[in-house]
Each structure stands twice: as structure tokens, then as C-alpha cells.
Amino acid sequence: MPRPEHSEDATVTPPPVSDEGEPGPDADPAPAGPARKRRGTAGVVILVLLALLGFTLAVQLRGKSVDSDLAAMREDDLVRLQSDLQGQEDRLQREIASLEDSQRQLQSGAQGRQAALEEASKRADELAILAGTAAARGPGLTIRFIAGPKAIEASDILNAVQELRGADAEAMQIAGVDGTTVRIVASTYFVDADGGLEVSGKRLTGPYTITVIGDPPTMRTALNIPDGLVPSIKGDGGNVIVDEHDTVDVTAIAEPVNLKHAKPVS
């Protein structure tokens, strides 16, 4: 007797199940390893996309903060800031050109020794100025601090020094009304004293005058930034008089430090 043919609607018998509810030995095998790997790869891709999204949001928020600060500045301040940045770029370009020229001379064979000696001498002079052991001359500013109802404090002078250093000041000195002058170097300290200041152990009384060598427009801009030192002192009733000069002299010499433990190697 011929067997009946199965139609597409025939009932499919489910796989046998054991007493514990698990598929029996004749059940179809579990999904193969590639499917699990695909799921794992998808998870990694999602994590990478989330990390990129977080980084993008952080960059956008930072950019908005900078834009907000710039938008709050006056047009004159923005012009001075642009001029300041352009001046710094020009100085860096000149310094790069000078260093590249020195490198070429040092590698030029016969002229190398003489060029090396000249470069070493130039570097020694620069370090002497930075250390305050040599006088210096160049374009710069004189900055006079005049107290109002509130005295000029050590923190005011320190803030001025830091702002000037941030504007690439190369040499500084501070003088009191009696002419006592102190060279300002990395180790210089300022302390409030009765009726004046103590600067690296020397007593000064106001008004105080800082003489500084550097790019005058750049340093003037640094001192006059909104909410900076000059607006703060003027807000307290005092005054800061800033004058630009083609040439100023920093003549005070820093006293050498007597080392107790360190000695030169050679």
C-alpha cells in the first residue's frame, strides 16, 4: 500500500525532552561558536562608539567654554590678545630660525668649533641674565605701584611678576621709594612687612617700581587683562602706571647662593 505524501502543513514532531526539562540526546545542537563571537564583536563595537561619543561631547563642551570666555571680552581686549599671540608666534619663528642656523654652523666642519664656542658664550650670557648675575639692557617697561586706601601687598607684586613671566619677561628688578633695588630671579621671595615689603631679605617701602625687559606691548596686555592685577589694584583705589621704553636697564645683581652640599662635578 503506498505511503501518503507529507504536505507542507504536516505537523513537526518536537525534539525529545528529558525528565529534567533539558533537550534529550536527539535534540538539535546549541548555536555554534561563530554566533557567540558575532554577539561579542557587536558589544565591542558598541563600547567603542560610546567612547567616541563621550570624547566628542567633551571636546564640544570645552570649545563652548573657550568661545564663551572670548565672547565676554571687549573688542579692544580681543585685538590686544590677537596682537599678543601674533607677537609670540613671530618670536618663536625667529628663535626656530636662529637655532636652525646654529645647527647648520655646528655641522659645517671647519667652522664648527668656532661656532660652538660662540654658541656656548652666548648661552652663558643668557643664563647669567636669567640667574641675575649679570646686568641687562633692552626694550621693556617701568611699572609703578601706588597704594590707595589699601596698601600694596606682597601678593600683588608676586602676581605682577608671574604675569610678566607669563608674557616672556627676560629680566626684572624692583625698587623702593628710597632707591633700594633687588634683582628678581627664580628664588626671589616677597613678604609683607610693617609699612612695606621684604624682598629676599631687603626692606623696601612704596611706591614700588618694577623695571622689566621684554616685549612691551605683550607685557602691557598681560598686566591689563580683565579681572587681572591692574584692574584689581585700581578697583581698591590704588594706581598702576605702566610706561613703555625702547631701552631700559636692569642693573641690580642677585647675590650668589652659598651652597652647603652641592659641588661642581668638574
Side-chain angles (χ1 to χ4, degrees):
M1 181 175 182
R3 294 182 179 179
E5 295 181 358
H6 293 284
S7 67
E8 293 180 356
D9 297 332
T11 303
V12 178
T13 304
V17 180
S18 65
D19 294 338
E20 290 79 4
E22 297 179 355
D26 296 331
D28 292 337
R36 296 181 180 178
K37 290 183 180 179
R38 285 195 296 271
R39 289 197 294 269
T41 303
V44 172
V45 171
I46 292 173
L47 290 176
V48 171
L49 291 175
L50 289 174
L52 290 174
L53 177 60
F55 175 76
T56 303
L57 289 175
V59 171
Q60 289 179 347
L61 290 175
R62 182 184 179 93
K64 289 180 179 178
S65 177
V66 173
D67 292 342
S68 177
D69 292 340
L70 292 176
M73 297 179 67
R74 296 176 302 177
E75 183 178 356
D76 292 343
D77 295 329
L78 290 172
V79 171
R80 285 196 296 268
L81 180 60
Q82 181 182 11
S83 177
D84 181 11
L85 294 175
Q86 184 63 47
Q88 291 183 5
E89 181 181 359
D90 293 341
R91 288 194 302 277
L92 290 174
Q93 291 294 340
R94 290 195 297 269
E95 185 176 353
I96 290 173
S98 177
L99 291 174
E100 290 176 344
D101 183 61
S102 298
Q103 182 183 24
R104 286 192 296 269
Q105 292 182 11
L106 291 172
Q107 296 174 346
S108 63
Q111 298 179 349
R113 180 177 177 81
Q114 182 62 31
L117 291 174
E118 293 176 357
E119 185 67 21
S121 177
K122 176 184 177 182
R123 184 60 178 163
D125 292 340
E126 292 174 350
L127 291 175
I129 292 175
L130 292 175
T133 58
R137 169 179 290 179
L141 303 175
T142 55
I143 309 160
R144 193 178 187 201
F145 297 85
I146 302 173
K150 182 181 178 182
I152 301 296
E153 299 177 347
S155 59
D156 296 324
I157 301 299
L158 178 59
N159 288 337
V161 170
Q162 290 175 336
E163 289 179 357
L164 291 169
R165 282 176 174 162
D168 295 333
E170 297 176 356
M172 283 182 274
Q173 67 182 24
I174 182 170
V177 68
D178 63 351
T180 302
T181 307
V182 182
R183 184 70 169 265
I184 299 175
V185 293
S187 60
T188 303
Y189 64 87
F190 305 89
V191 179
D192 291 316
D194 292 337
L197 299 176
E198 182 181 329
V199 182
S200 293
K202 290 187 177 181
R203 182 68 175 274
L204 276 66
T205 55
Y208 311 103
T209 301
I210 290 180
T211 303
V212 54
I213 294 176
D215 182 63
T218 301
M219 295 188 295
R220 178 187 284 273
T221 300
L223 292 172
N224 285 280
I225 58 175
D227 299 326
L229 175 69
V230 173
S232 176
I233 291 178
K234 290 184 177 180
D236 291 334
N239 195 13
V240 181
I241 301 174
V242 181
D243 292 320
E244 297 186 14
H245 304 276
D246 293 334
T247 302
V248 295
D249 291 303
V250 174
T251 56
I253 302 298
E255 296 181 0
V257 178
N258 295 322
L259 302 177
K260 296 181 179 179
H261 306 288
K263 295 181 180 179
V265 176
S266 58

